[in-house]
Amino acid sequence: MLRHAEELGCEVQEETAVTQVDIDGDKVTNLHLSNGQQVTARHYVDGSGHIGVLRRALGVQTDIPTRLQNIAIWDYWTNAEWAEEIGVGGTRVQVMSLSHGWIWFIPLGPTRTSKRLCLDTPNNVETYLLGLL
């Protein structure tokens, strides 16, 4: 989409931070960039993700759900021990429940497996990892 927008005439700035947003009422008038440039445009597209540079500058609030603070840590394994136990080439997902989350074991092929540790809050991550030491 970025390249397509550029082909249609949009000016694209990559790896460049917005250091200041000038606002007049509810309208963005200028952007000051980390490379020293100042940008004035009719429309701006904020590609800053969850940081929301323009949203914050305009004072637009968001509701962050407090119940959805799960964290997942995963990696891909070759010839994982569990793969042999559930059968080579199996497509069954194995889940092990923990008191504060779960572990997924997902066969991706005869020798490749995805293992995921999902915990319900950032605090439980530290508690769980310390328990492994």
Side-chain angles (χ1 to χ4, degrees):
M1 284 192 328
L2 177 70
R3 294 295 165 234
H4 183 66
E6 191 172 39
E7 289 169 5
L8 293 174
C10 291
E11 180 182 335
V12 174
Q13 297 280 341
E14 294 184 81
E15 310 231 1
T16 305
V18 174
T19 57
Q20 180 181 329
V21 179
D22 295 337
I23 295 180
D24 182 14
D26 64 352
K27 182 180 176 185
V28 174
T29 57
N30 296 299
L31 300 178
H32 300 266
L33 307 179
S34 60
N35 62 10
Q37 288 183 306
Q38 183 175 326
V39 176
T40 303
R42 183 173 174 197
H43 302 285
Y44 301 90
V45 177
D46 186 348
S48 63
H50 72 282
I51 294 169
V53 172
L54 297 183
R55 175 189 57 79
R56 289 176 190 248
L58 291 165
V60 176
Q61 299 297 313
T62 60
D63 294 325
I64 300 171
T66 57
R67 295 183 65 206
L68 298 175
Q69 294 187 6
N70 294 355
I71 185 170
I73 303 166
W74 72 92
D75 198 2
Y76 299 99
W77 295 59
T78 302
N79 297 321
E81 190 174 314
W82 283 359
E84 295 172 5
E85 292 177 19
I86 67 168
V88 174
T91 57
R92 178 174 54 173
V93 173
Q94 187 173 8
V95 179
M96 178 187 302
S97 294
L98 306 170
S99 62
H100 43 272
W102 61 92
I103 297 173
W104 287 24
F105 176 83
I106 307 170
L108 302 174
T111 61
R112 188 168 163 90
T113 304
S114 172
K115 291 186 179 183
R116 296 169 187 245
L117 169 65
C118 302
L119 300 172
D120 60 7
T121 66
N123 291 335
N124 280 336
V125 172
E126 184 176 337
T127 302
Y128 182 80
L129 295 178
L130 286 174
L132 293 177
L133 298 177

